[in-house]
Amino acid sequence: MKKLLSTTAFLGALALTAGSAEAANLQVNVGGFVDFQAGYTSDDQVAHDVLSSSNENQNKVNFSTDSEIHFTVEGTADNGLEYGAVIELEADVNNTDQAQNGGTNADKAYLFGQGGWGRVELGDNTDAAQALQVNSGTFASGTGGVNGDFYRYAFATSGAGGSGFLIRPELPLANSGNGSTFNEDATKITYYSPRIAGFQAGVSYIPNSGDTGTAAFSGSDFQNVIAGGVNFTTQYNQFAIKLAATGEHGDQKSDTTQDQHLSAWNAGGNVSFAGFTVGGSYGHVGEIAATNASGVGGAATVNTVNGAHYWDAGAGYAFGPWSASATYLESKVNPAGSDTRDNLFHNLVVGTDYKLAPGLVPYAEVSVYNFNGSGGDTTVTENKGTAVIVGTQLTF
Amino acid sequence: MRQIFALLALLAIASCSSNTATDSKNYPKSQSDMRKVKAGSLVSDEGKGFSIMGSKKDDAGKSSGIGVNSFLWRASLDTISFMPIVQADAFGGIILTDWYEDPAAQKTDLRERFKVNITILDDRLRADGIRVALFKQKYDAKAGWRDQVISKDSEREIENTILTRARELRVKQTGK
């Protein structure tokens, strides 16, 4: 008892100073970016003046801007729950964001909550498969190499490389931009696990792959889509390794094509050593659809096909604020019908960027691409050529 | 053992939950978003733009005057204010007390005294930003003061008391 007394007195003195308080710490941040690009296109389609009127000439020089304002609300509750919301508003003059936006005014809008148990996102944001995937675009310089902005300048509207080709190393949801069949920002619920021993898993549930924000009761999109994957990062001596496997699965709504589920997966990896990074990925899209973000201001298109697959590989080097990369993508899409030949697409992108100041990054990229139809697929238009992009991005 | 138990029981009243060490930046983003993150931000070190509501500086207790979180610093001094302080370094974040023997307990034949070392490790107000080392000695008529084993839990409880106090101070200063 005596023993107890002295400690009690000591601790009592401590306890006197303490009380309890309920407090939250909420903060609202405004950020965003403005991106300006000048593109020069030299390809078969532009050279042949493919515009509808034969007495018009297509300009090889195009400018484009992409700008967004981001609001981020973040708070921490006393019990450790971190919560918040993100609204990414489009700030483009033409109200369409290079196929990243369907004419609406927000790119992303979602709530999140996170803690030691992981993170939950509710709303319109990137799905878990897209966020966890690893490919050559993960480290590419410029606009993102084969997963970058070349498609804005490769003359891809009016079917030239539009549908029937798979032009980016992405699964259908992510590849389609903001289409009505697949929308990369379709309303969803996503859960990410914390990273444990290098592993992080995530899964998204998307009730309707074309719905953003409202119930459209569309019959042409996919339902009950699950997109997710596992991502692994580790450091082995001087080598940094990133690996990921992601997939998507969803059901058709149409009675006539019920068997054509959305089924796609990819797997990829990166290895970095002393500033050098090499990596790539392989992806397979099942029988449903090849999807495609098409040219400037165009909407994504989806084609029913027998199947598609792609692989990409690249190498990059980063030295201080400067980085450069070369990435290559090759894809084959087997068109619908009995044609056994494939629509081939390949693209080599060499890019570089330089971080002039925090938030200010000028970049340049050259893309050499070839859209090569199967010969039997009359829905595609062949095209080959080069696009050069020079731009500056400012983030704040 | 009973001492430890009593210590825990008492401090449980004042205990608080700890922050988890998560961060939005650690969660996966699309490649285009990551590109923006890598580019950094023209107006903020953290790449999150500028604050329009909620002053992060006040909330976090960051201060150019001292090298550690000011709430944790003041809360630590407050909490052990009844003990004599030998050394307090606001830049290194170290508070060392002298041996303290509770006057109320001195009357008994069982004498014991305590010493606390507090290390503040972070300029943010977070649960892992503070470390407490507690020492106890018992008086032995033959051998003088002898060191005693003390439970890690007791140290945790003191840390929690300080964290609660820090939170109170923050509420008082920032109103949230």
Side-chain angles (χ1 to χ4, degrees):
Chain A
M1 197 57 206
K2 281 175 190 166
K3 255 173 124 185
L4 205 63
L5 257 179
S6 71
T7 320
T8 304
F10 172 70
L11 294 170
L14 283 182
L16 274 178
T17 62
S20 67
E22 288 290 324
N25 155 22
L26 203 66
Q27 193 183 16
V28 183
N29 275 308
V30 180
F33 64 87
V34 181
D35 192 355
F36 171 84
Q37 292 176 348
Y40 178 84
T41 310
S42 169
D43 66 22
D44 288 354
Q45 293 295 322
V46 172
H48 295 150
D49 293 332
V50 290
L51 291 182
S52 53
S53 170
S54 56
N55 54 10
E56 287 176 354
N57 292 312
Q58 177 66 39
N59 195 350
K60 292 178 175 180
V61 177
N62 291 284
F63 289 166
S64 67
T65 55
D66 185 10
S67 42
E68 290 183 10
I69 296 172
H70 299 173
F71 291 90
T72 311
V73 187
E74 279 179 302
T76 309
D78 266 2
N79 62 9
L81 173 73
E82 292 169 47
Y83 57 94
V86 177
I87 301 170
E88 302 188 355
L89 291 179
E90 296 291 354
D92 295 305
V93 178
N94 69 352
N95 199 30
T96 63
D97 174 20
Q98 318 293 3
Q100 299 296 306
N101 180 291
T104 47
N105 61 354
D107 183 37
K108 293 178 170 63
Y110 60 95
L111 297 165
F112 67 85
Q114 65 185 39
W117 43 270
R119 173 177 167 108
V120 168
E121 292 177 353
L122 311 171
D124 308 333
N125 191 21
T126 308
D127 65 79
Q130 188 186 359
L132 290 167
Q133 72 168 353
V134 171
N135 54 34
S136 60
T138 307
F139 60 86
S141 307
T143 66
V146 290
N147 208 6
D149 294 343
F150 72 93
Y151 67 88
R152 295 178 180 177
Y153 305 97
F155 194 83
T157 48
S158 310
S163 54
F165 290 104
L166 208 163
I167 62 168
R168 297 199 295 173
E170 299 266 22
L171 298 182
L173 277 172
N175 207 7
S176 54
N178 295 86
S180 58
T181 303
F182 293 115
N183 190 316
E184 66 172 350
D185 299 319
T187 308
K188 58 179 72 83
I189 295 176
T190 301
Y191 169 74
Y192 292 109
S193 75
R195 199 171 277 284
I196 298 165
F199 284 94
Q200 182 168 45
V203 64
S204 296
Y205 170 68
I206 305 148
N208 299 289
S209 62
D211 286 5
T212 46
T214 53
F217 294 108
S218 161
S220 63
D221 59 352
F222 286 75
Q223 57 184 335
N224 299 327
V225 178
I226 302 289
V230 180
N231 178 297
F232 174 71
T233 59
T234 189
Q235 187 88 25
Y236 181 74
N237 288 339
Q238 302 279 305
F239 293 90
I241 298 164
K242 278 186 200 170
L243 300 170
T246 63
E248 291 172 359
H249 187 273
D251 295 330
Q252 273 276 13
K253 288 180 177 173
S254 162
D255 288 339
T256 54
T257 54
Q258 244 175 0
D259 295 336
Q260 295 179 332
H261 299 294
L262 160 66
S263 173
W265 60 269
N266 68 17
N270 284 177
V271 179
S272 303
F273 174 76
F276 288 96
T277 305
V278 293
S281 72
Y282 175 83
H284 179 87
V285 180
E287 129 177 89
I288 57 105
T291 59
N292 215 335
S294 67
V296 178
T301 53
V302 178
N303 250 18
T304 302
V305 296
N306 289 333
H309 57 92
Y310 68 84
W311 63 269
D312 68 285
Y317 180 66
F319 182 77
W322 175 80
S323 79
S325 70
T327 51
Y328 180 77
L329 170 93
E330 196 168 294
S331 75
K332 288 180 179 177
V333 176
N334 187 232
S338 56
D339 194 349
T340 54
R341 293 165 297 181
D342 294 327
N343 294 330
L344 304 177
F345 172 75
H346 57 83
N347 186 17
L348 172 69
V349 182
V350 178
T352 182
D353 58 42
Y354 186 85
K355 193 168 166 180
L356 208 60
L360 187 61
V361 183
Y363 54 85
E365 221 172 56
V366 179
S367 164
V368 181
Y369 47 85
N370 189 345
F371 297 87
N372 196 353
S374 69
D377 186 356
T378 54
T379 64
V380 301
T381 310
E382 297 190 338
N383 189 15
K384 65 173 190 291
T386 306
V388 179
I389 305 172
V390 179
T392 301
Q393 172 190 281
L394 186 148
T395 49
F396 60 95
Chain B
M1 197 60 210
R2 286 185 66 186
Q3 275 186 324
I4 303 302
F5 184 74
L7 180 134
L8 294 184
L10 267 172
L11 283 177
I13 302 163
S15 71
C16 58
S17 65
S18 57
N19 267 330
T20 47
T22 55
D23 192 331
S24 294
K25 285 181 199 155
N26 296 335
Y27 281 92
K29 295 179 179 67
S30 69
Q31 287 176 9
S32 56
D33 285 351
M34 277 311 292
R35 213 166 297 285
K36 309 284 186 295
V37 172
K38 273 187 212 162
S41 170
L42 210 59
V43 294
S44 120
D45 294 340
E46 296 180 14
K48 283 199 290 197
F50 53 89
S51 169
I52 55 167
M53 270 165 66
S55 166
K56 185 145 196 188
K57 259 197 172 127
D58 286 351
D59 289 353
K62 284 180 186 171
S63 159
S64 54
I66 57 174
V68 295
N69 185 275
S70 64
F71 294 127
L72 285 177
W73 176 254
R74 281 154 52 202
S76 302
L77 287 175
D78 263 15
T79 307
I80 57 159
S81 58
F82 60 93
M83 298 173 79
I85 289 167
V86 172
Q87 194 189 337
D89 174 8
F91 293 95
I94 295 166
I95 301 170
L96 310 177
T97 73
D98 205 350
W99 286 106
Y100 171 74
E101 192 178 359
D102 184 17
Q106 279 172 3
K107 292 169 192 164
T108 68
D109 54 351
L110 184 118
R111 295 173 60 196
E112 54 185 29
R113 58 183 191 176
F114 296 91
K115 183 173 164 57
V116 179
N117 291 358
I118 299 173
T119 320
I120 299 168
L121 304 161
D122 209 319
D123 60 352
R124 290 168 295 179
L125 176 51
R126 42 189 296 160
D128 55 2
I130 188 151
R131 190 182 296 156
V132 169
L134 179 64
F135 303 93
K136 188 172 92 169
Q137 285 187 342
K138 208 155 94 178
Y139 190 72
D140 186 296
K142 289 174 195 163
W145 289 104
R146 304 291 298 269
D147 283 338
Q148 300 288 302
V149 177
I150 197 142
S151 155
K152 289 279 170 209
D153 292 341
S154 319
E155 295 171 347
R156 287 300 94 71
E157 291 299 337
I158 297 174
E159 286 172 7
N160 283 344
T161 311
I162 293 171
L163 287 168
T164 308
R165 180 71 186 140
R167 201 158 301 166
E168 281 184 335
L169 290 171
R170 190 189 73 193
V171 172
K172 215 155 115 191
Q173 180 168 324
T174 66
K176 57 186 182 283

